[in-house]
């Protein structure tokens, strides 16, 4: 998505309702000089790319986001990751760029995706704790 497409989609996502070209135009004009036809073309391009759906209202259209900004970000990350010749190395490099807050958000997201049972199975014991269900000497049940 280009810079102008992103500026338009940011408004569509933020408003979270069907919008007209005029509404987007008036908001964009607070930041830059832009023509009605430019915004109309951008929204039409976003429609053709599948990012917005539109419904006729009189002689104009109302545009609405097909998915969320989070889904768009996820698609970008997935696309970049899938293009790597070494996905594990790409993930390590990506994680290395993250702040501690972002890494915590990642851990939270993994727990949500895994669900409570799977997260408990894969997380293992905390430092200094024994694994429940195993004997201290390593023996089984």
């Amino acid at each position: 998505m280009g810079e102008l497409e992103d500026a338009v989609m940011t408004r569509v996502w933020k408003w979270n309702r069907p919008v007209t070209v005029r509404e987007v135009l008036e908001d964009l004009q607070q930041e830059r000089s832009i023509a009605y036809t430019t915004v109309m073309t951008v929204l039409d391009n976003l429609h053709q790319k599948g990012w917005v759906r539109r419904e006729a209202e009189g002689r104009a259209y109302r545009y609405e986001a097909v998915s969320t900004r989070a889904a768009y970000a996820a698609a970008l990350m997935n696309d970049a990751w899938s293009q790597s010749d070494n996905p594990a190395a790409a993930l390590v490099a990506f994680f290395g760029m993250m702040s501690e807050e972002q890494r915590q958000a990642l851990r939270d997201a993994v727990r949500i995706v895994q669900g409570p049972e799977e997260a408990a199975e894969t997380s293992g014991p905390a430092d200094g704790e024994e694994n429940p269900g195993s004997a201290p000497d390593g023996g089984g049940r």
Side-chain angles (χ1 to χ4, degrees):
M1 184 178 304
E3 186 266 332
L4 187 53
E5 289 175 326
D6 183 67
V8 169
M9 280 305 301
T10 294
R11 282 148 180 88
V12 175
W13 282 317
K14 180 177 74 173
W15 295 334
N16 197 27
R17 61 172 173 77
V19 300
T20 64
V21 172
R22 175 84 41 213
E23 290 173 308
V24 175
L25 171 72
E26 289 172 359
D27 199 61
L28 283 170
Q29 284 179 331
Q30 295 176 24
E31 300 172 1
R32 63 178 87 195
S33 177
I34 190 166
Y36 181 93
T37 54
T38 302
V39 177
M40 185 173 61
T41 299
V42 169
L43 280 163
D44 185 59
N45 290 344
L46 289 166
H47 176 257
Q48 290 178 24
K49 291 178 179 182
W51 287 106
V52 296
R53 63 179 146 260
R54 66 184 182 193
E55 193 169 314
E57 184 176 278
R59 293 179 10 190
Y61 289 107
R62 282 203 174 266
Y63 295 86
E64 185 175 16
V66 169
S67 65
T68 64
R69 187 183 248 329
Y72 172 67
L76 285 177
M77 289 186 282
N78 187 56
D79 186 47
W81 186 46
S82 66
Q83 291 180 30
S84 173
D85 60 346
N86 187 340
L91 282 174
V92 169
F94 179 63
F95 297 157
M97 292 180 214
M98 297 173 117
S99 68
E100 181 53 39
E101 183 178 290
Q102 290 169 322
R103 283 192 292 277
Q104 185 57 52
L106 175 64
R107 286 189 287 272
D108 293 344
V110 168
R111 277 193 288 278
I112 290 168
V113 170
Q114 287 180 331
E117 291 176 11
E118 188 178 340
E121 291 173 10
T122 60
S123 64
D127 290 339
E129 291 182 10
E130 289 182 18
N131 190 1
S134 66
D137 65 359
R141 292 184 169 189

